[in-house]
Amino acid sequence: MADSTAVSEPKHSGPRQFDLDRCVHCGLCLNACPTYRVLGLEMDSPRGRIYQMVQVAEGAPITDAYRQHIDLCLACRGCESACPSGVRYGRMVEDARAELEANRERGWWSRHMRHLIFVRLLQSRTALSVAGTMLYLLERSGLKALARGLGQIRLLGPWSDLMQLTPSADPPFFFSKIGQTFPAEGERRHRVAFLAGCIANVSFARLNEATVRVLQKNGCEVVVPEGQGCCGALHLHSGLPEEARKLACRNIDAVIGGEFDAVITNAAGCGSTLKEYGELLEGVPEYAEKARRFAGLMKDVTEYLGSIELNRKLGRVEAVVTYQDSCHLSHGQKVRRAPRELLSAIPGLEFREMAGADLCCGSAGVYNVVENAMSMEILERKMETVNATGARIIATANPGCLLQLQAGVRMHGTGQRVMHVVEVLDLAYKTA
Ligand code: SF4
Ligand code: SF4
């Protein structure tokens, strides 16, 4: 891992002035904002939040109300897509959160819990494996099913919804595949690196395997580089940019020099941050150029498959399928067509667009846990539009969205399968 002295650079004291200046207060972003759609409050809209950031930049005190309005933002970046002035809202809210964190007096418990999660857990394969094994044993004991059942009938009070959101452990964990190379099926046409994430190695091990298989089917030799780890997205969204920089350096060291055509992720939230390593490390001389090269190679798996000649030996998947845009793929990376085209290429599959597919599902990293009430309200609305399509498979492109939508299906008892786009493709290749 990179020396921490190499990444102790830029400390923003809040959103950058030229970002704040870009907003012309037109309000065209309001309807694209999930929190504004629920609350109808200007201060919980993008324009209102920017207005408050400007006030703080001009010397107004940081109040609890300001903190709450910024905390309630999903950082979904729906407002960025709607904004005609090119406001970099995602960067602004990250900067605002870093400033809030720097000015926040946390108690002993809160500081230690954050250290435990963001440093000890997410950055350690051993800790994640231990946590995953404990979770698995809990599931096998039936306690988790019991807790979910009690949550379903609201017997766990405020914990009821949280019980639906806990990820499952999916052994054998994908950590055992890190460091391995998987050959292309048939002629090797591409050589790619695959970044497997952090929690995904434990909770989405089968999704990671499906991703490797689909890439192999499409002529890719897939290397899962040894030194990789967490991408730092959760750290960045939680006001910990220094930790995010350390993790970025580690991933860059793992990949740069490997002669890859592309670096692939199947997690839209991670991909968005991975593509922004150039910006994250622009003030770190030792890494700035490498970070730009790394960012240039980053591709979401759907984006990459959409850019190469697709292996069309796909079997039939007889199902009506709808697609929920993952915010960080749609708004963060502007990848919208590729997942839809990949799904539509599968014989037998009937694709039905849902209304407001690019509105956040309420997942947003750890938002569904820390802002659970708002997250559940947003999910409720999402499930109404999903159910209106009549689809039996809900496809999406991010592990966090998979968890959130699976919780929505359980809470509504509607029984759809929730799958990543590459899992639907994998199914089609298997049935070919
Ligand atoms: S963020 Fe963009 S769309 Fe929203 S008020 Fe500002 S300029 Fe208008
Ligand atoms: S990032 Fe999402 S929740 Fe936050 S202001 Fe923009 S649209 Fe609203």
Side-chain angles (χ1 to χ4, degrees), residues 19-30 42 45-48 50 79-89 92:
D19 279 344
L20 294 170
D21 291 343
R22 271 198 188 171
C23 177
V24 295
H25 312 294
C26 64
L28 290 172
C29 54
L30 266 58
E42 175 72 16
S45 76
R47 181 174 65 182
I50 292 170
C79 46
E80 270 191 33
S81 294
C83 175
S85 300
V87 165
R88 299 279 310 270
Y89 186 86
M92 290 160 75

Short mmCIF file of all heavy atoms in Angstrom, two decimals, residues 19-30 42 45-48 50 79-89 92, ligand 1:
data_model
loop_
_atom_site.label_atom_id
_atom_site.label_comp_id
_atom_site.label_asym_id
_atom_site.label_seq_id
_atom_site.Cartn_x
_atom_site.Cartn_y
_atom_site.Cartn_z
N ASP A 19 -17.05 26.01 -8.55
CA ASP A 19 -18.19 25.08 -8.63
C ASP A 19 -19.46 25.78 -8.15
O ASP A 19 -20.52 25.67 -8.78
CB ASP A 19 -17.93 23.85 -7.76
CG ASP A 19 -17.03 22.82 -8.45
OD1 ASP A 19 -16.86 22.92 -9.67
OD2 ASP A 19 -16.50 21.94 -7.75
N LEU A 20 -19.34 26.50 -7.04
CA LEU A 20 -20.51 27.21 -6.49
C LEU A 20 -21.02 28.25 -7.49
O LEU A 20 -22.23 28.43 -7.67
CB LEU A 20 -20.15 27.90 -5.17
CG LEU A 20 -19.81 26.97 -4.00
CD1 LEU A 20 -19.25 27.76 -2.83
CD2 LEU A 20 -21.04 26.19 -3.55
N ASP A 21 -20.08 28.91 -8.17
CA ASP A 21 -20.46 30.00 -9.09
C ASP A 21 -21.22 29.51 -10.32
O ASP A 21 -21.88 30.28 -11.00
CB ASP A 21 -19.20 30.75 -9.55
CG ASP A 21 -18.59 31.55 -8.41
OD1 ASP A 21 -19.30 31.78 -7.42
OD2 ASP A 21 -17.40 31.95 -8.53
N ARG A 22 -21.07 28.22 -10.63
CA ARG A 22 -21.72 27.72 -11.84
C ARG A 22 -23.24 27.68 -11.76
O ARG A 22 -23.93 27.68 -12.76
CB ARG A 22 -21.24 26.29 -12.12
CG ARG A 22 -20.01 26.23 -12.97
CD ARG A 22 -19.89 24.85 -13.53
NE ARG A 22 -18.61 24.72 -14.21
CZ ARG A 22 -18.12 23.60 -14.66
NH1 ARG A 22 -18.79 22.49 -14.53
NH2 ARG A 22 -16.97 23.57 -15.27
N CYS A 23 -23.77 27.57 -10.54
CA CYS A 23 -25.23 27.46 -10.38
C CYS A 23 -25.87 28.82 -10.63
O CYS A 23 -25.51 29.81 -9.99
CB CYS A 23 -25.58 26.95 -8.98
SG CYS A 23 -27.35 26.88 -8.69
N VAL A 24 -26.85 28.83 -11.57
CA VAL A 24 -27.54 30.09 -11.86
C VAL A 24 -28.94 30.10 -11.23
O VAL A 24 -29.77 30.94 -11.55
CB VAL A 24 -27.63 30.33 -13.39
CG1 VAL A 24 -26.25 30.52 -13.98
CG2 VAL A 24 -28.38 29.20 -14.10
N HIS A 25 -29.20 29.14 -10.36
CA HIS A 25 -30.44 29.08 -9.55
C HIS A 25 -31.70 28.99 -10.40
O HIS A 25 -32.74 29.51 -10.03
CB HIS A 25 -30.51 30.29 -8.60
CG HIS A 25 -29.23 30.51 -7.85
ND1 HIS A 25 -28.75 29.62 -6.92
CD2 HIS A 25 -28.30 31.50 -7.94
CE1 HIS A 25 -27.59 30.04 -6.46
NE2 HIS A 25 -27.29 31.18 -7.05
N CYS A 26 -31.60 28.31 -11.55
CA CYS A 26 -32.76 28.22 -12.45
C CYS A 26 -33.83 27.26 -11.93
O CYS A 26 -35.00 27.37 -12.27
CB CYS A 26 -32.31 27.79 -13.84
SG CYS A 26 -31.59 26.13 -13.85
N GLY A 27 -33.43 26.28 -11.14
CA GLY A 27 -34.41 25.33 -10.58
C GLY A 27 -34.76 24.17 -11.48
O GLY A 27 -35.64 23.38 -11.15
N LEU A 28 -34.09 24.03 -12.63
CA LEU A 28 -34.42 22.93 -13.54
C LEU A 28 -34.08 21.56 -12.97
O LEU A 28 -34.51 20.54 -13.48
CB LEU A 28 -33.71 23.14 -14.89
CG LEU A 28 -34.25 24.30 -15.72
CD1 LEU A 28 -33.38 24.57 -16.94
CD2 LEU A 28 -35.69 24.01 -16.16
N CYS A 29 -33.27 21.55 -11.92
CA CYS A 29 -32.86 20.28 -11.31
C CYS A 29 -33.86 19.78 -10.26
O CYS A 29 -33.77 18.63 -9.83
CB CYS A 29 -31.50 20.46 -10.64
SG CYS A 29 -31.49 21.84 -9.47
N LEU A 30 -34.79 20.62 -9.85
CA LEU A 30 -35.60 20.27 -8.67
C LEU A 30 -36.36 18.96 -8.83
O LEU A 30 -36.37 18.11 -7.94
CB LEU A 30 -36.58 21.42 -8.34
CG LEU A 30 -36.07 22.42 -7.30
CD1 LEU A 30 -34.77 23.09 -7.71
CD2 LEU A 30 -37.12 23.45 -6.96
N GLU A 42 -37.50 23.42 -0.52
CA GLU A 42 -36.38 24.02 -1.27
C GLU A 42 -35.02 23.66 -0.64
O GLU A 42 -34.07 23.36 -1.33
CB GLU A 42 -36.56 25.55 -1.29
CG GLU A 42 -35.42 26.32 -1.93
CD GLU A 42 -35.35 26.17 -3.46
OE1 GLU A 42 -36.33 25.72 -4.08
OE2 GLU A 42 -34.28 26.50 -4.01
N SER A 45 -33.55 20.49 -1.81
CA SER A 45 -33.39 20.37 -3.26
C SER A 45 -31.93 20.69 -3.60
O SER A 45 -31.21 21.26 -2.77
CB SER A 45 -34.30 21.37 -3.97
OG SER A 45 -33.74 22.68 -3.87
N PRO A 46 -31.47 20.37 -4.83
CA PRO A 46 -30.09 20.71 -5.20
C PRO A 46 -29.85 22.22 -5.11
O PRO A 46 -28.85 22.66 -4.55
CB PRO A 46 -29.98 20.22 -6.64
CG PRO A 46 -31.15 19.32 -6.86
CD PRO A 46 -32.20 19.66 -5.87
N ARG A 47 -30.79 22.99 -5.64
CA ARG A 47 -30.61 24.45 -5.63
C ARG A 47 -30.53 24.97 -4.20
O ARG A 47 -29.69 25.80 -3.87
CB ARG A 47 -31.78 25.11 -6.38
CG ARG A 47 -31.67 26.62 -6.43
CD ARG A 47 -32.74 27.22 -7.31
NE ARG A 47 -34.09 27.00 -6.75
CZ ARG A 47 -35.22 27.40 -7.34
NH1 ARG A 47 -35.15 28.02 -8.50
NH2 ARG A 47 -36.38 27.16 -6.79
N GLY A 48 -31.40 24.44 -3.34
CA GLY A 48 -31.40 24.88 -1.94
C GLY A 48 -30.12 24.49 -1.23
O GLY A 48 -29.57 25.25 -0.43
N ILE A 50 -27.19 24.01 -2.65
CA ILE A 50 -26.10 24.86 -3.16
C ILE A 50 -26.18 26.24 -2.50
O ILE A 50 -25.16 26.81 -2.10
CB ILE A 50 -26.16 24.96 -4.70
CG1 ILE A 50 -25.84 23.59 -5.31
CG2 ILE A 50 -25.18 26.02 -5.22
CD1 ILE A 50 -26.09 23.49 -6.81
N CYS A 79 -29.33 15.50 -10.16
CA CYS A 79 -29.36 16.94 -10.46
C CYS A 79 -28.29 17.31 -11.50
O CYS A 79 -28.51 18.22 -12.30
CB CYS A 79 -29.18 17.75 -9.18
SG CYS A 79 -27.86 17.17 -8.12
N GLU A 80 -27.19 16.60 -11.50
CA GLU A 80 -26.13 16.89 -12.48
C GLU A 80 -26.64 16.64 -13.91
O GLU A 80 -26.35 17.41 -14.82
CB GLU A 80 -24.91 15.99 -12.23
CG GLU A 80 -23.91 16.60 -11.30
CD GLU A 80 -22.59 15.83 -11.27
OE1 GLU A 80 -22.17 15.25 -12.30
OE2 GLU A 80 -22.00 15.79 -10.20
N SER A 81 -27.37 15.53 -14.07
CA SER A 81 -27.89 15.22 -15.41
C SER A 81 -28.91 16.25 -15.86
O SER A 81 -29.04 16.54 -17.04
CB SER A 81 -28.54 13.82 -15.43
OG SER A 81 -27.56 12.84 -15.22
N ALA A 82 -29.68 16.78 -14.90
CA ALA A 82 -30.74 17.73 -15.25
C ALA A 82 -30.22 19.15 -15.45
O ALA A 82 -30.89 19.98 -16.05
CB ALA A 82 -31.80 17.73 -14.14
N CYS A 83 -29.03 19.44 -14.96
CA CYS A 83 -28.55 20.82 -14.90
C CYS A 83 -27.99 21.31 -16.24
O CYS A 83 -27.06 20.70 -16.78
CB CYS A 83 -27.48 20.93 -13.83
SG CYS A 83 -26.73 22.57 -13.77
N PRO A 84 -28.54 22.39 -16.80
CA PRO A 84 -28.02 22.90 -18.08
C PRO A 84 -26.71 23.67 -17.92
O PRO A 84 -26.04 23.96 -18.91
CB PRO A 84 -29.13 23.83 -18.56
CG PRO A 84 -29.84 24.26 -17.33
CD PRO A 84 -29.69 23.16 -16.32
N SER A 85 -26.33 24.00 -16.69
CA SER A 85 -25.11 24.79 -16.48
C SER A 85 -23.88 23.95 -16.17
O SER A 85 -22.82 24.49 -15.88
CB SER A 85 -25.31 25.78 -15.32
OG SER A 85 -26.36 26.64 -15.60
N GLY A 86 -24.04 22.64 -16.17
CA GLY A 86 -22.90 21.77 -15.92
C GLY A 86 -22.39 21.85 -14.49
O GLY A 86 -21.19 21.70 -14.23
N VAL A 87 -23.31 22.04 -13.53
CA VAL A 87 -22.89 22.11 -12.13
C VAL A 87 -22.35 20.74 -11.70
O VAL A 87 -22.98 19.71 -11.94
CB VAL A 87 -24.08 22.54 -11.24
CG1 VAL A 87 -23.79 22.25 -9.77
CG2 VAL A 87 -24.36 24.02 -11.43
N ARG A 88 -21.17 20.74 -11.07
CA ARG A 88 -20.54 19.49 -10.60
C ARG A 88 -21.03 19.19 -9.19
O ARG A 88 -20.28 19.28 -8.22
CB ARG A 88 -19.01 19.65 -10.62
CG ARG A 88 -18.40 19.94 -11.98
CD ARG A 88 -18.24 18.68 -12.81
NE ARG A 88 -17.57 17.60 -12.08
CZ ARG A 88 -16.26 17.40 -12.07
NH1 ARG A 88 -15.48 18.20 -12.75
NH2 ARG A 88 -15.74 16.40 -11.39
N TYR A 89 -22.29 18.83 -9.09
CA TYR A 89 -22.90 18.69 -7.77
C TYR A 89 -22.26 17.58 -6.94
O TYR A 89 -22.06 17.71 -5.73
CB TYR A 89 -24.42 18.47 -7.89
CG TYR A 89 -25.05 18.48 -6.54
CD1 TYR A 89 -25.43 19.65 -5.93
CD2 TYR A 89 -25.15 17.30 -5.81
CE1 TYR A 89 -25.93 19.67 -4.65
CE2 TYR A 89 -25.65 17.30 -4.53
CZ TYR A 89 -26.05 18.49 -3.96
OH TYR A 89 -26.53 18.49 -2.67
N MET A 92 -19.26 18.79 -5.36
CA MET A 92 -19.58 19.79 -4.34
C MET A 92 -20.06 19.15 -3.04
O MET A 92 -19.66 19.57 -1.95
CB MET A 92 -20.66 20.75 -4.87
CG MET A 92 -20.12 21.65 -5.96
SD MET A 92 -21.44 22.33 -6.96
CE MET A 92 -22.11 23.54 -5.87
S1 SF4 B 1 -27.85 23.18 -10.07
FE1 SF4 B 1 -28.12 23.61 -12.25
S2 SF4 B 1 -30.28 23.18 -12.66
FE2 SF4 B 1 -30.06 23.35 -10.44
S3 SF4 B 1 -30.54 25.48 -9.98
FE3 SF4 B 1 -28.30 25.36 -10.24
S4 SF4 B 1 -27.96 25.83 -12.42
FE4 SF4 B 1 -30.15 25.36 -12.20
#
